[in-house]
Amino acid sequence: MEAVDQLASAGTFRVVKEPLAFLRVLEWLFAIFAFATCGGYSGGLRLSVDCANKSESDLNIDIAFAYPFRLHQVNFDAPTCEGKRRETLSLIGDFSSSAEFFVTIAVFAFLYSLAATVVYIFFQNKYRENNRGPLIDFIVTVVFSFLWLVSSSAWAKGLSDVKIATDPDEVLLLMSACKQQSNKCLPVRSPVMSSLNTSVVFGFLNFILWAGNIWFVFKETGWHSSGQRHAADTMEKQSSGYNQSGYNQDSYGPSGGYNQPGSYGQVGDYSQPQSYGQSGPTSFANQI
């Protein structure tokens, strides 16, 4: 208990309230739902074959299948309505590649989200050291976003094919007894695939979460910080250049030709000729 208390006190759980760590927790939960609803699936269908000879009929033909949906390996027995002879048939299709790819991505996303959350809480200083942690986190987030999109799309297509291959009406067409009009072949129970539909929904929700988290991880990298510094330096250079040009114009203006007319006005005080002209007639009058 003491070790747990020390570990809890060392961790800064406040980061969980921030978008970066909060989205990681959601990714962790949604990844669990994604691989649990797909990887833990098992279902089945039931058919009935009512032969013209009732003793040869089989009204409860159960066919079970499960993840990873290698349907071509699912075998079942069906009556031929030709005596006691029965035939062994199998479903059609192998959809394990898309299903296993989807579950694999979900498991690795679950593990990475859990590890990243632990790092955010207990090793935040080392995470930001040398900017290596945020850069790795950013690259992994972009890769997982792409993989979630690809795997969810592939599994959505694979699920559509699984539904067609396990459709009771399609399976009845595989039986030789159902090709004779004297026999009655009917579906009794169809497979329930609501959990598989849910897995596809969680797959695309995981893609949205991881794609949305790209921005918050990018803000932790040096690329975002250097971009902000570059923009700030550009604004400072522009503002300083504007101030310098305005200062030069103001200093040039007073020293320019605007004050020169004033100086000419001062020089224009050479009104001495006027005073000279006034003293001339006065002296001449005195002589007279």
Side-chain angles (χ1 to χ4, degrees):
M1 292 298 295
E2 294 180 359
V4 175
D5 294 338
Q6 292 178 358
L7 191 63
S9 61
T12 56
F13 288 93
R14 292 189 303 271
V15 298
V16 179
K17 299 180 181 179
E18 299 177 358
L20 179 62
F22 181 72
L23 287 177
R24 283 285 184 246
V25 174
L26 290 181
E27 292 167 358
W28 177 71
L29 290 175
F30 279 45
I32 294 176
F33 295 146
F35 71 73
T37 52
C38 179
Y41 177 83
S42 61
L45 63 152
R46 179 175 294 176
L47 308 173
S48 69
V49 178
D50 189 6
C51 301
N53 185 358
K54 302 299 182 182
S55 62
E56 300 173 355
S57 302
D58 190 347
L59 303 181
N60 292 306
I61 303 174
D62 292 321
I63 304 174
F65 62 95
Y67 172 85
F69 307 104
R70 295 187 177 93
L71 300 183
H72 66 287
Q73 297 179 357
V74 177
N75 301 321
F76 60 96
D77 294 332
T80 60
C81 295
E82 296 177 356
K84 297 297 183 179
R85 189 174 66 86
R86 299 176 68 90
E87 61 181 351
T88 301
L89 302 172
S90 62
L91 298 179
I92 297 176
D94 182 5
F95 310 101
S96 60
S97 58
S98 59
E100 290 177 338
F101 179 50
F102 179 80
V103 171
T104 301
I105 297 302
V107 171
F108 278 105
F110 160 77
L111 295 175
Y112 182 80
S113 299
L114 180 60
T117 304
V118 172
V119 171
Y120 295 160
I121 295 175
F122 300 106
F123 305 100
Q124 196 174 57
N125 293 331
K126 291 184 179 181
Y127 171 75
R128 292 187 170 90
E129 186 178 1
N130 298 327
N131 200 36
R132 183 177 301 174
L135 289 178
I136 296 175
D137 196 16
F138 174 75
I139 295 173
V140 174
T141 303
V142 172
V143 171
F144 265 111
S145 300
F146 174 75
L147 291 177
W148 270 118
L149 178 61
V150 174
S151 63
S152 299
S153 301
W155 171 230
K157 178 60 171 62
L159 177 57
S160 177
D161 295 337
V162 169
K163 290 180 179 180
I164 295 174
T166 57
D167 185 359
D169 294 329
E170 295 293 330
V171 178
L172 288 174
L173 298 177
L174 302 176
M175 302 179 184
S176 59
C178 298
K179 298 177 182 179
Q180 301 176 9
Q181 296 181 354
S182 59
N183 303 322
K184 295 181 180 179
C185 300
L186 297 173
V188 177
R189 187 183 69 232
S190 299
V192 179
M193 296 188 178
S194 57
S195 62
L196 296 181
N197 295 330
T198 305
S199 68
V200 174
V201 174
F202 276 115
F204 285 106
L205 286 177
N206 274 287
F207 162 69
I208 294 173
L209 283 175
W210 284 82
N213 204 16
I214 291 176
W215 167 247
F216 297 105
V217 180
F218 177 73
K219 289 174 65 177
E220 299 292 328
T221 62
W223 297 335
H224 182 262
S225 301
S226 61
Q228 284 186 335
R229 288 196 299 269
H230 178 72
D233 294 341
T234 304
M235 293 296 294
E236 289 179 359
K237 289 180 181 179
Q238 291 178 352
S239 60
S240 61
Y242 177 77
N243 292 332
Q244 290 177 359
S245 61
Y247 175 78
N248 292 335
Q249 290 176 359
D250 294 340
S251 62
Y252 176 76
S255 62
Y258 289 109
N259 291 334
Q260 291 178 1
S263 63
Y264 287 137
Q266 294 175 359
V267 176
D269 288 339
Y270 288 113
S271 55
Q272 295 177 0
Q274 295 177 357
S275 61
Y276 176 79
Q278 292 176 358
S279 62
T282 303
S283 62
F284 180 76
N286 292 330
Q287 291 178 0
I288 295 175

